[in-house]
Amino acid sequence: MSQERIFKVLLGPHISEKATVVADRDGQFVFRVAPDATKPEIKKAVEQLFEVKVRNVQVVNIKGKTKRTARGMGQRNDLRKAYVRLADGHDIDFADVD
């Protein structure tokens, strides 16, 4: 997988309270991914970018909320997240990545 495709598949880490709890408890990390990304692509991208071994990937599609604005009804963007479980002994440190 090319370096360009890696950065198109992985849009960035998803940092939230739930993501932090899951990372501490289960060794899973949450990433925002492209809408057209597949599980094998996500697995390869994480393994190449962070030099870790991925055990499995779960993907969640979240529909954007409809919100009322001053000009009528608006729609937030849809979101696609990937929960990546690493193999035993592997860890990702986001502060250490180049």
Side-chain angles (χ1 to χ4, degrees), residues 31-64:
F31 295 94
R32 285 181 284 118
V33 295
D36 63 341
T38 62
K39 287 183 180 184
E41 282 183 329
I42 295 167
K43 181 177 179 177
K44 285 181 186 176
V46 171
E47 286 179 345
Q48 288 182 3
L49 188 62
F50 297 105
E51 298 174 0
V52 295
K53 181 72 175 153
V54 174
R55 188 165 40 167
N56 69 343
V57 176
Q58 295 175 329
V59 179
V60 178
N61 292 314
I62 301 171
K63 299 293 181 188

Side-chain angles (χ1 to χ4, degrees), residues 2-30:
S2 69
Q3 197 72 5
E4 181 181 336
R5 181 63 183 157
I6 288 173
F7 291 118
K8 286 185 178 180
V9 169
L10 294 178
L11 302 179
H14 182 78
I15 307 299
S16 66
E17 187 174 349
K18 181 180 178 182
T20 305
V21 168
V22 170
D24 290 341
R25 186 184 63 202
D26 296 335
Q28 287 184 334
F29 294 90
V30 185

